Amino acid sequence: MNFYPLVRLLSTEIFKTGTELGAELGISRTAVWKQIQQLEQLGIEIITKPQQGYKLAKSINLFNELLLKQLLIENKSNLDLYLFSSLGSTNVEAKNLLNSPEVKSVLVLTEMQTAGKGRRGRTWQSPFGQNLAITLGAKIDTDISKLQGLSLAIAVELKESLNKFAAIDVGFKWPNDIYVNDKKLCGILVEVAGDFSGPFSLIMGIGLNLKSSSAFNSIDQPYICLDELGIEFDKNLFAIDLAVRLEKMISKFLNKGFQAWQARWNKAHLWKDKQAEVIHSNLSKRVTLKQVNSDGALLVINSEGNEEVINSGEISLRLAE
Ligand code: BTN
């Protein structure tokens, strides 16, 4: 269902009646009413006044295809833009698009995801217009081992892009969660598909919480949205800034590896020198967290006082009580 036309009409100061909305959309009043109900189910708050009609309770910053395309051209980007009002997952869509031999690199954006993917098999909530879901996908002709530490380098680029738009001091929780005030603001999910000795499709998905919404209530970890920090910017400008940064970083990363981002990552490392539980396959052990090495692996000191190297994958970290 394409909700763009109705949401655009509802994004005004004045109320619009079902008849007016129907006339502008070329659909019946009943069809308008049904769409309004669907929008409310998606967590979009709509004010209804008898005789006067409907309007959005809070304005929504929507994607603007023309602006996005113009910005990609201005930045000399080779990314092909795919914009949706609703999608299962931008990562899955990017992966499918890259299956076509003629498609080289894509930028997939959507106002909402119905099956957003998180790390370690979790789901990711992307209510309509409240979470920025962005995926950059590209075909890479090299060995997959060259990607070690990539998701941490993406976190550095994301931090630097955010800093261009707002005075916000984000920190990193290894391997690639972005935190503010001890709560998660963004998540990163890097996936690969194809022949791991190359060529393969590299999928870099990022979710950024923009506006608080009741639809976030099911999240089972502390989270924060930009509006709670009093931050609002045009997501069109941010999405392109980030996408262009990531597009540029890929070739540099394949040449130089994580080393070029290592110092910046360690500078924003939130839990350095903290005691934590390292959890893997339901087993946990207590360690002291140190910095990340030039591969993006986390160095820790175990209970015997020896250094260990923790690689990403299925491991999670929890601060010790
Ligand atoms: C995490 O668990 O922290 C990673 C979350 C990654 C979410 C983003 S939203 C855009 C892209 N599409 C998805 O399905 N997931 C990623």
Side-chain angles (χ1 to χ4, degrees):
M1 179 82 221
N2 182 3
F3 295 111
Y4 267 132
L6 179 57
V7 175
R8 285 217 172 85
L9 290 176
L10 292 171
S11 304
T12 56
E13 282 306 305
I14 50 160
F15 284 85
K16 288 200 168 140
T17 64
T19 313
E20 284 165 343
L21 292 166
E24 291 194 57
L25 294 170
I27 57 176
S28 68
R29 258 178 58 197
T30 321
V32 168
W33 182 75
K34 277 192 186 143
Q35 279 197 32
I36 286 189
Q37 281 196 318
Q38 282 173 310
L39 289 181
E40 284 177 328
Q41 276 160 17
L42 296 175
I44 300 176
E45 270 181 72
I46 294 167
I47 308 177
T48 309
K49 274 200 182 165
Q51 319 300 333
Q52 294 187 47
Y54 311 95
K55 77 180 190 91
L56 293 185
K58 288 191 268 180
S59 66
I60 301 181
N61 173 212
L62 295 173
F63 283 123
N64 175 332
E65 190 163 16
L66 274 180
L67 175 61
L68 291 165
K69 285 193 167 154
Q70 182 194 324
L71 290 169
L72 284 174
I73 293 169
E74 278 172 20
N75 282 285
K76 299 185 175 48
S77 168
N78 290 316
L79 296 168
D80 291 332
L81 175 70
Y82 293 85
L83 174 63
F84 298 86
S85 64
S86 173
L87 202 59
S89 153
T90 49
N91 270 27
V92 172
E93 185 66 27
K95 209 179 299 175
N96 293 339
L97 287 164
L98 288 169
N99 281 336
S100 298
E102 65 273 18
V103 178
K104 301 281 178 271
S105 56
V106 294
L107 172 61
V108 184
L109 299 171
T110 184
E111 299 290 357
M112 66 169 284
Q113 295 185 114
T114 53
K117 294 168 70 179
R119 283 183 65 232
R120 297 187 294 120
R122 299 168 91 134
T123 54
W124 181 263
Q125 301 297 329
S126 303
F128 192 96
Q130 320 290 307
N131 175 272
L132 177 66
I134 165 168
T135 294
L136 194 142
K139 292 213 178 95
I140 307 286
D141 196 1
T142 182
D143 187 280
I144 194 175
S145 63
K146 287 258 170 73
L147 297 185
Q148 266 199 29
L150 177 71
S151 62
L152 284 80
I154 296 173
V156 173
E157 296 292 338
L158 185 47
K159 178 179 167 74
E160 290 176 3
S161 184
L162 275 170
N163 281 146
K164 203 172 139 183
F165 290 84
I168 177 174
D169 192 21
V170 301
F172 305 143
K173 181 193 152 199
W174 187 86
N176 52 21
D177 287 343
I178 314 275
Y179 270 55
V180 181
N181 301 346
D182 294 328
K183 294 174 186 160
K184 185 159 164 173
L185 177 70
C186 319
I188 298 168
L189 181 65
V190 175
E191 299 182 274
V192 285
D195 181 352
F196 289 176
S197 57
F200 58 82
S201 298
L202 169 63
I203 318 291
M204 304 188 281
I206 291 133
L208 166 66
N209 298 330
L210 299 172
K211 284 198 173 179
S212 336
S213 155
S214 56
F216 282 126
N217 290 349
S218 58
I219 301 180
D220 60 355
Q221 53 183 323
Y223 69 91
I224 193 161
C225 302
L226 283 181
D227 67 342
E228 295 168 65
L229 300 163
I231 295 173
E232 198 176 340
F233 48 67
D234 185 348
K235 70 180 180 187
N236 291 282
L237 305 183
F238 174 75
I240 296 300
D241 184 79
L242 178 62
V244 170
R245 274 169 198 270
L246 297 182
E247 185 185 15
K248 285 189 187 139
M249 82 167 283
I250 297 174
S251 51
K252 184 173 171 194
F253 192 92
L254 294 175
N255 283 327
K256 301 201 168 188
F258 176 64
Q259 219 170 318
W261 287 265
Q262 182 187 3
R264 283 176 283 166
W265 197 97
N266 277 321
K267 211 168 154 209
H269 181 4
L270 286 174
W271 291 359
K272 186 161 176 291
D273 297 324
K274 294 250 167 39
Q275 296 273 309
E277 303 284 339
V278 176
I279 304 150
H280 181 44
S281 314
N282 289 335
L283 293 175
S284 90
K285 64 177 173 185
R286 185 174 284 220
V287 296
T288 307
L289 306 178
K290 292 293 171 189
Q291 68 274 38
V292 296
N293 70 12
S294 57
D295 290 330
L298 181 64
L299 305 178
V300 302
I301 306 291
N302 66 20
S303 51
E304 285 86 46
N306 300 320
E307 187 175 274
E308 284 184 32
V309 180
I310 310 269
N311 284 296
S312 182
E314 296 304 298
I315 282 174
S316 71
L317 289 181
R318 195 166 52 208
L319 272 190
E321 320 252 288

Coordinates of all heavy atoms in Angstrom, one line a residue, residues 113-158:
Q113 N 9.4 -0.3 7.7 CA 9.7 -1.7 7.4 C 8.7 -2.6 8.2 O 8.4 -2.3 9.3 CB 11.1 -2.1 7.8 CG 12.2 -1.3 7.1 CD 13.6 -1.8 7.5 OE1 14.3 -2.4 6.7 NE2 14.0 -1.6 8.7
T114 N 8.3 -3.6 7.5 CA 7.3 -4.6 8.2 C 8.1 -5.8 8.7 O 7.6 -6.5 9.6 CB 6.2 -5.0 7.2 OG1 6.9 -5.5 6.0 CG2 5.3 -3.9 6.8
A115 N 9.3 -6.0 8.3 CA 10.1 -7.1 8.8 C 11.5 -6.7 8.9 O 12.4 -7.4 8.4 CB 9.9 -8.3 7.8
G116 N 11.8 -5.6 9.5 CA 13.1 -5.1 9.7 C 14.0 -6.1 10.5 O 13.5 -6.7 11.4
K117 N 15.2 -6.2 10.0 CA 16.1 -7.2 10.6 C 17.1 -6.6 11.5 O 17.8 -5.6 11.2 CB 16.9 -8.0 9.5 CG 16.0 -8.8 8.6 CD 16.8 -9.3 7.4 CE 17.8 -10.3 7.7 NZ 18.5 -10.8 6.5
G118 N 17.3 -7.2 12.7 CA 18.4 -6.7 13.6 C 19.5 -7.8 13.6 O 19.4 -8.8 12.9
R119 N 20.5 -7.5 14.4 CA 21.6 -8.5 14.6 C 21.1 -9.7 15.4 O 20.1 -9.6 16.1 CB 22.8 -7.8 15.3 CG 23.6 -6.9 14.5 CD 24.8 -6.4 15.2 NE 25.7 -7.5 15.6 CZ 26.2 -7.7 16.8 NH1 25.8 -7.0 17.8 NH2 27.0 -8.7 17.0
R120 N 21.8 -10.8 15.2 CA 21.6 -12.0 15.9 C 20.1 -12.4 15.9 O 19.5 -12.8 16.9 CB 22.1 -11.9 17.4 CG 23.6 -11.7 17.4 CD 24.2 -11.7 18.7 NE 23.8 -10.6 19.5 CZ 23.1 -10.7 20.7 NH1 22.9 -11.9 21.2 NH2 22.8 -9.7 21.4
G121 N 19.5 -12.3 14.7 CA 18.1 -12.9 14.5 C 17.0 -12.0 15.1 O 15.9 -12.4 15.1
R122 N 17.4 -10.9 15.6 CA 16.3 -10.0 16.3 C 15.6 -9.3 15.2 O 16.0 -9.2 14.1 CB 17.0 -9.0 17.2 CG 17.7 -9.7 18.4 CD 18.5 -8.7 19.1 NE 17.8 -8.1 20.2 CZ 18.2 -8.0 21.4 NH1 19.5 -8.3 21.7 NH2 17.5 -7.4 22.4
T123 N 14.4 -8.7 15.6 CA 13.7 -7.8 14.6 C 14.1 -6.3 14.9 O 14.6 -6.0 16.0 CB 12.2 -7.9 14.8 OG1 11.9 -7.7 16.2 CG2 11.7 -9.3 14.4
W124 N 13.8 -5.5 14.0 CA 14.1 -4.1 14.1 C 12.9 -3.3 13.8 O 12.3 -3.5 12.8 CB 15.3 -3.7 13.2 CG 15.7 -2.2 13.3 CD1 15.2 -1.2 12.5 CD2 16.5 -1.6 14.3 NE1 15.8 0.0 12.9 CE2 16.6 -0.2 14.0 CE3 17.3 -2.1 15.4 CZ2 17.3 0.6 14.8 CZ3 18.0 -1.2 16.1 CH2 18.1 0.1 15.8
Q125 N 12.5 -2.4 14.7 CA 11.2 -1.7 14.6 C 11.4 -0.4 13.7 O 12.3 0.4 14.0 CB 10.6 -1.2 15.9 CG 10.3 -2.3 16.9 CD 9.3 -3.3 16.4 OE1 8.4 -2.9 15.6 NE2 9.4 -4.5 16.7
S126 N 10.7 -0.3 12.6 CA 10.8 0.9 11.8 C 9.4 1.4 11.5 O 8.8 1.3 10.4 CB 11.4 0.6 10.4 OG 12.7 0.0 10.6
P127 N 8.7 2.1 12.5 CA 7.4 2.6 12.3 C 7.4 3.7 11.2 O 8.4 4.4 11.1 CB 6.9 3.1 13.6 CG 8.1 3.0 14.5 CD 9.2 2.3 13.9
F128 N 6.3 3.9 10.5 CA 6.2 4.9 9.4 C 6.8 6.2 9.8 O 6.3 6.9 10.7 CB 4.8 5.0 8.9 CG 4.6 5.8 7.6 CD1 4.5 5.1 6.4 CD2 4.7 7.1 7.6 CE1 4.4 5.7 5.2 CE2 4.6 7.8 6.4 CZ 4.4 7.1 5.2
G129 N 7.8 6.6 9.1 CA 8.4 8.0 9.2 C 9.1 8.2 10.6 O 9.6 9.3 10.8
Q130 N 9.2 7.3 11.5 CA 9.8 7.5 12.8 C 11.2 6.9 12.9 O 11.9 7.2 13.9 CB 8.9 6.8 13.9 CG 7.4 6.9 13.7 CD 6.9 8.4 13.9 OE1 7.1 9.0 14.9 NE2 6.2 8.9 12.9
N131 N 11.5 6.1 12.0 CA 12.9 5.5 12.0 C 13.5 5.6 10.6 O 12.7 5.3 9.7 CB 12.7 4.0 12.5 CG 14.1 3.3 12.4 OD1 14.5 2.7 11.4 ND2 14.8 3.2 13.5
L132 N 14.7 5.9 10.6 CA 15.3 6.0 9.2 C 15.9 4.6 8.9 O 16.8 4.2 9.6 CB 16.4 7.1 9.2 CG 17.2 7.2 8.0 CD1 16.4 7.7 6.8 CD2 18.4 8.2 8.2
A133 N 15.4 4.0 7.9 CA 15.9 2.7 7.5 C 16.6 2.9 6.1 O 16.0 3.3 5.1 CB 14.8 1.7 7.3
I134 N 17.9 2.6 6.1 CA 18.7 2.9 4.9 C 19.6 1.7 4.7 O 20.3 1.2 5.6 CB 19.5 4.2 5.1 CG1 20.6 4.4 4.1 CG2 20.1 4.4 6.5 CD1 21.2 5.8 4.1
T135 N 19.7 1.3 3.4 CA 20.7 0.2 3.1 C 21.4 0.6 1.9 O 20.8 1.0 0.9 CB 19.9 -1.2 2.9 OG1 19.4 -1.6 4.1 CG2 20.9 -2.2 2.4
L136 N 22.7 0.4 1.9 CA 23.6 0.6 0.8 C 24.1 -0.8 0.4 O 24.6 -1.5 1.2 CB 24.7 1.5 1.2 CG 25.5 2.1 0.0 CD1 25.8 3.5 0.4 CD2 26.8 1.3 -0.2
G137 N 23.9 -1.2 -0.9 CA 24.3 -2.5 -1.3 C 25.3 -2.3 -2.5 O 25.1 -1.5 -3.4
A138 N 26.3 -3.2 -2.5 CA 27.3 -3.1 -3.7 C 27.9 -4.4 -4.0 O 28.0 -5.3 -3.1 CB 28.4 -2.1 -3.3
K139 N 28.2 -4.6 -5.2 CA 28.9 -5.8 -5.6 C 30.4 -5.6 -5.4 O 31.0 -4.6 -5.8 CB 28.7 -6.1 -7.1 CG 27.2 -6.5 -7.4 CD 27.1 -7.5 -8.5 CE 25.7 -7.9 -8.7 NZ 25.0 -7.1 -9.7
I140 N 31.0 -6.6 -4.7 CA 32.4 -6.5 -4.4 C 33.2 -7.7 -4.9 O 32.7 -8.8 -4.8 CB 32.6 -6.5 -2.8 CG1 31.7 -5.5 -2.2 CG2 34.0 -6.4 -2.4 CD1 32.1 -4.1 -2.3
D141 N 34.3 -7.4 -5.6 CA 35.0 -8.6 -6.2 C 36.3 -8.7 -5.5 O 37.4 -8.3 -5.9 CB 35.3 -8.3 -7.7 CG 35.7 -9.6 -8.4 OD1 35.7 -10.6 -7.7 OD2 35.9 -9.6 -9.6
T142 N 36.2 -9.3 -4.3 CA 37.4 -9.6 -3.5 C 37.1 -10.7 -2.5 O 36.0 -11.2 -2.5 CB 37.9 -8.3 -2.7 OG1 39.1 -8.6 -2.0 CG2 36.9 -7.8 -1.8
D143 N 38.0 -11.0 -1.6 CA 37.8 -12.1 -0.7 C 37.0 -11.5 0.5 O 37.3 -10.4 1.0 CB 39.1 -12.6 -0.2 CG 38.9 -13.8 0.7 OD1 38.7 -13.7 1.9 OD2 39.1 -15.0 0.1
I144 N 36.1 -12.2 1.1 CA 35.3 -11.7 2.2 C 36.1 -11.3 3.4 O 35.7 -10.5 4.2 CB 34.2 -12.7 2.5 CG1 33.1 -12.0 3.4 CG2 34.7 -13.9 3.2 CD1 31.9 -12.9 3.7
S145 N 37.3 -12.0 3.6 CA 38.1 -11.7 4.8 C 38.5 -10.2 4.8 O 38.9 -9.7 5.9 CB 39.3 -12.6 4.8 OG 40.1 -12.3 3.7
K146 N 38.5 -9.6 3.7 CA 38.9 -8.2 3.6 C 37.9 -7.3 4.4 O 38.1 -6.1 4.6 CB 38.9 -7.7 2.2 CG 40.1 -8.2 1.4 CD 41.1 -7.1 1.3 CE 42.4 -7.5 0.7 NZ 42.5 -7.7 -0.7
L147 N 36.7 -7.8 4.8 CA 35.7 -7.0 5.4 C 35.8 -7.0 6.9 O 34.9 -6.4 7.5 CB 34.3 -7.5 5.0 CG 33.9 -7.5 3.5 CD1 32.5 -7.9 3.3 CD2 34.1 -6.1 2.9
Q148 N 36.8 -7.6 7.5 CA 36.9 -7.6 8.9 C 36.9 -6.2 9.5 O 37.7 -5.4 9.1 CB 38.2 -8.3 9.3 CG 38.0 -9.8 9.6 CD 39.1 -10.3 10.4 OE1 39.7 -9.7 11.2 NE2 39.3 -11.6 10.3
G149 N 36.0 -6.0 10.4 CA 35.9 -4.6 11.1 C 35.1 -3.6 10.3 O 34.9 -2.5 10.8
L150 N 34.5 -4.0 9.2 CA 33.7 -3.1 8.4 C 32.6 -2.4 9.2 O 32.4 -1.2 9.1 CB 33.2 -3.7 7.1 CG 32.3 -2.8 6.2 CD1 33.2 -1.8 5.6 CD2 31.6 -3.6 5.2
S151 N 31.9 -3.2 9.9 CA 30.7 -2.7 10.6 C 31.1 -1.6 11.7 O 30.4 -0.7 11.9 CB 29.8 -3.8 11.3 OG 30.6 -4.4 12.2
L152 N 32.3 -1.7 12.2 CA 32.8 -0.7 13.2 C 33.2 0.6 12.4 O 33.0 1.7 12.9 CB 34.0 -1.3 13.9 CG 33.8 -2.3 15.0 CD1 33.6 -3.6 14.5 CD2 34.9 -2.3 16.1
A153 N 33.7 0.4 11.2 CA 34.1 1.6 10.4 C 32.8 2.3 10.0 O 32.8 3.5 10.0 CB 34.9 1.2 9.2
I154 N 31.7 1.6 9.7 CA 30.5 2.2 9.4 C 30.0 3.0 10.6 O 29.5 4.1 10.4 CB 29.4 1.1 9.0 CG1 29.8 0.4 7.8 CG2 28.0 1.8 8.8 CD1 29.0 -0.8 7.4
A155 N 30.2 2.5 11.8 CA 29.7 3.2 13.0 C 30.5 4.6 13.1 O 29.9 5.6 13.4 CB 30.0 2.4 14.2
V156 N 31.8 4.6 12.7 CA 32.5 5.8 12.8 C 32.0 6.8 11.7 O 31.8 8.0 12.0 CB 34.0 5.5 12.5 CG1 34.8 6.8 12.4 CG2 34.6 4.7 13.6
E157 N 31.7 6.3 10.5 CA 31.2 7.2 9.5 C 29.8 7.7 9.9 O 29.5 8.9 9.7 CB 31.0 6.4 8.2 CG 32.4 5.9 7.6 CD 33.2 7.1 7.1 OE1 32.7 8.2 6.8 OE2 34.5 6.9 7.0
L158 N 29.0 6.9 10.5 CA 27.7 7.3 11.0 C 27.8 8.4 12.1 O 27.0 9.4 12.0 CB 27.0 6.0 11.6 CG 25.5 6.1 12.0 CD1 24.6 6.7 11.0 CD2 25.1 4.6 12.2

